[in-house]
Amino acid sequence: MNILIINGSPRRKGLVSQMLGIMQEEAEQRGDKVQMVCTNDLSIKPCIGCMTCRTKGECVLAEDDSQRVLKMMQEADAIIMGAPCYWGNIPGQMKLLFDRIVYGMMRDTPRFPEPLMKGKKCILVSTCTTPWPWNILFKQTRGVIRALYEICHYSGFKIVATIERGGTAMHPALSEKDKQKCRKAIRKIV
């Protein structure tokens, strides 16, 4: 199986990166081909909102890393997306990526958007400093999951697992339970 991991965290050793790393190791151990993209390493110009991509099926801006990631997504059987909470949402660089490749993820039709990633499985991961259960009640990690869910839903992904981890300031290390959640989630992509 071909799996793409999109890491929206700027912290290489942060909890999101660690959780995604556990999933990568687990998938590679069972023989899957895994690629990881860190959004902060990408060179992407901002969307200009011209909407031309919706009719032409391609972006009018000069080619950059967004098209490379879109191609990787199209070739993948499954996607894992992870992001820390920034103001109850995904980090800007990650949103910038999805803004630029919307034309390759869904197509506008007269009635409803047509999903272009249909049949691909997806796992969503988020962390934040707000302690549990407030991270969910105050829509911190829940806000990140909601934003990623919207992207996945309209693109046609089947979300097979979500992981939300709050309280990272008070508990900066992954527990054995956190690690087990990651291993269990990756097993849902078969």
Side-chain angles (χ1 to χ4, degrees):
M1 180 169 281
N2 186 7
I3 300 172
L4 175 64
I5 299 174
I6 300 176
N7 184 351
S9 177
R11 295 184 181 187
R12 295 253 186 232
K13 296 182 181 178
L15 292 188
V16 167
S17 297
Q18 290 176 47
M19 294 166 88
L20 297 176
I22 289 168
M23 291 185 209
Q24 180 175 6
E25 287 175 21
E26 190 79 16
E28 287 174 341
Q29 284 178 2
R30 70 177 191 200
D32 294 328
K33 179 185 172 201
V34 183
Q35 294 180 297
M36 186 176 304
V37 170
C38 296
T39 59
N40 272 30
D41 294 343
L42 302 175
S43 177
I44 302 174
K45 295 206 183 320
C47 176
I48 58 173
C50 69
M51 304 299 280
T52 304
C53 68
R54 302 292 183 103
T55 55
K56 286 193 170 187
E58 62 184 359
C59 185
V60 299
L61 298 177
E63 190 167 320
D64 59 23
D65 287 338
S66 62
Q67 289 87 4
R68 182 176 61 83
V69 174
L70 175 60
K71 186 170 177 25
M72 293 168 78
M73 290 177 78
Q74 291 167 334
E75 294 171 353
D77 301 307
I79 312 280
I80 302 169
M81 300 181 200
C85 175
Y86 282 27
W87 290 98
N89 211 321
I90 60 177
Q93 187 69 4
M94 188 175 215
K95 178 148 183 348
L96 186 62
L97 169 65
F98 291 120
D99 286 348
R100 282 289 308 282
I101 61 175
V102 66
Y103 66 90
M105 298 179 73
M106 61 169 253
R107 181 177 301 122
D108 279 339
T109 67
R111 291 189 175 203
F112 298 104
E114 176 190 347
L116 299 177
M117 297 286 171
K118 201 166 186 125
K120 297 177 189 281
K121 293 182 179 178
C122 186
I123 296 173
L124 306 177
V125 178
S126 181
T127 63
C128 73
T129 58
T130 307
W132 184 88
W134 311 112
N135 63 307
I136 293 170
L137 296 173
F138 293 159
K139 295 183 176 46
Q140 296 301 298
T141 54
R142 187 59 43 96
V144 173
I145 297 299
R146 179 202 49 79
L148 292 173
Y149 174 85
E150 289 296 311
I151 292 165
C152 295
H153 173 72
Y154 285 107
S155 301
F157 288 101
K158 179 182 180 188
I159 298 168
V160 296
T162 61
I163 301 173
E164 296 180 57
R165 166 64 151 74
T168 61
M170 292 172 24
H171 305 284
L174 288 177
S175 68
E176 199 51 48
K177 185 177 178 181
D178 294 325
K179 294 174 185 178
Q180 196 56 36
K181 284 181 185 177
C182 295
R183 291 185 192 103
K184 185 178 177 183
I186 195 68
R187 291 183 198 123
K188 293 182 179 183
I189 295 179
V190 179

